[in-house]
Amino acid sequence: MSNEITVKLKCSVNDIEKILKSKEFILTDKFELNDVYYIKNDIDIQKSTPREILKSYILIRDIKQYEPDEFIKWYSIIKLTYKEKNIAPNGDIISQQKYDCEIKNTEQGKNILKAIGYKEIMTIKENDVVYSKDGINIQIKNILNGENLIEIETIDSNKELDTIDKLKQKIIKLNIPIDKSNFFVKKAEIELKKVLEI
């Protein structure tokens, strides 16, 4: 299993791409996400914290996936994604599970979720690019009207970075402009707080 951390950027998306290229990272993936979040009908969002609300949820994930040759041509993937996270009191993610099921269209997904007692709470749109080098992938997450984040993930076979602490040290050594105060930034919590304030 791979290790993963997510941090806020202290620079623009364009700047971090230039920095990563200067450090000989190579562009390996590009996609756009339109994630619609659903939670169980019986969850009272006015009486729960964002973390409690998002302990488990289902997404309808509409992906515009670019082909790796020149990242110009693309195709669409739509899936239901169930996520469940075990989060420590300090905010660190202890463990997480994700299950995907491809579907034909978003209406199909909405009908299924409504039928099993789920309600829509928010949508997050983002444009992502992934740069890779030395057994790690750095995913730049350009979130529409949100924070710019990077998600750093090891490939499964990377024995040198087999713990979260080793991955943290690796990203710190890269000396890129990130906020080192939180290595487990949760974009869904950030965006849900905005929804709850409306």
Side-chain angles (χ1 to χ4, degrees):
M1 180 148 174
S2 61
N3 290 307
E4 161 185 318
I5 55 178
T6 303
V7 293
K8 287 184 185 179
L9 277 173
K10 286 184 161 182
C11 66
S12 70
V13 167
N14 286 340
D15 285 345
I16 193 64
E17 286 199 67
K18 288 176 187 172
I19 291 166
L20 291 175
K21 286 175 186 174
S22 74
K23 293 179 182 291
E24 300 179 346
F25 277 78
I26 296 167
L27 179 64
T28 55
D29 199 4
K30 179 180 177 180
F31 53 92
E32 297 172 17
L33 296 179
N34 184 14
D35 286 343
V36 184
Y37 287 70
Y38 288 81
I39 58 170
K40 290 181 181 176
N41 282 335
D42 61 0
I43 295 175
D44 186 344
I45 62 172
Q46 301 304 323
K47 294 181 179 178
S48 305
T49 67
R51 185 158 297 163
E52 290 167 340
I53 294 167
L54 295 169
K55 190 173 180 183
S56 66
Y57 55 88
I58 298 177
L59 300 172
I60 295 180
R61 176 162 272 181
D62 191 347
I63 306 165
K64 183 177 182 179
Q65 178 66 58
Y66 289 87
E67 294 182 0
D69 49 359
E70 295 177 12
F71 299 106
I72 296 170
K73 294 179 183 175
W74 59 273
Y75 56 93
S76 182
I77 304 167
I78 302 170
K79 53 188 174 179
L80 290 177
T81 299
Y82 173 73
K83 288 194 174 187
E84 185 176 42
K85 296 183 180 183
N86 183 8
I87 301 172
N90 68 353
D92 288 3
I93 296 173
I94 299 166
S95 64
Q96 54 187 335
Q97 300 288 332
K98 182 173 92 164
Y99 303 93
D100 290 318
C101 176
E102 199 163 330
I103 57 175
K104 290 181 181 177
N105 56 58
T106 55
E107 280 306 309
Q108 186 182 52
K110 286 177 186 176
N111 291 339
I112 289 169
L113 292 174
K114 187 176 178 183
I116 62 171
Y118 277 73
K119 62 186 175 185
E120 180 181 336
I121 54 164
M122 67 177 172
T123 299
I124 299 178
K125 295 181 180 182
E126 64 183 77
N127 299 320
D128 292 31
V129 290
V130 180
Y131 285 85
S132 304
K133 181 186 172 187
D134 296 338
I136 61 169
N137 297 322
I138 298 181
Q139 181 176 331
I140 303 167
K141 304 172 85 58
N142 184 1
I143 299 167
L144 185 67
N145 299 319
E147 301 281 349
N148 291 329
L149 308 174
I150 58 172
E151 184 177 284
I152 304 99
E153 185 176 26
T154 60
I155 58 171
D156 291 340
S157 59
N158 191 334
K159 303 293 183 197
E160 293 176 15
L161 298 172
D162 58 359
T163 68
I164 291 292
D165 283 335
K166 288 179 185 176
L167 188 55
K168 286 181 185 178
Q169 292 311 310
K170 176 74 173 178
I171 202 66
I172 289 168
K173 281 181 188 173
L174 281 173
N175 196 28
I176 57 178
I178 58 169
D179 178 355
K180 299 180 186 78
S181 67
N182 184 358
F183 286 90
F184 296 98
V185 174
K186 297 157 197 73
K187 70 173 181 183
E189 284 187 18
I190 294 170
E191 296 305 311
L192 182 56
K193 284 176 186 173
K194 294 177 189 175
V195 171
L196 297 175
E197 287 170 3
I198 292 172

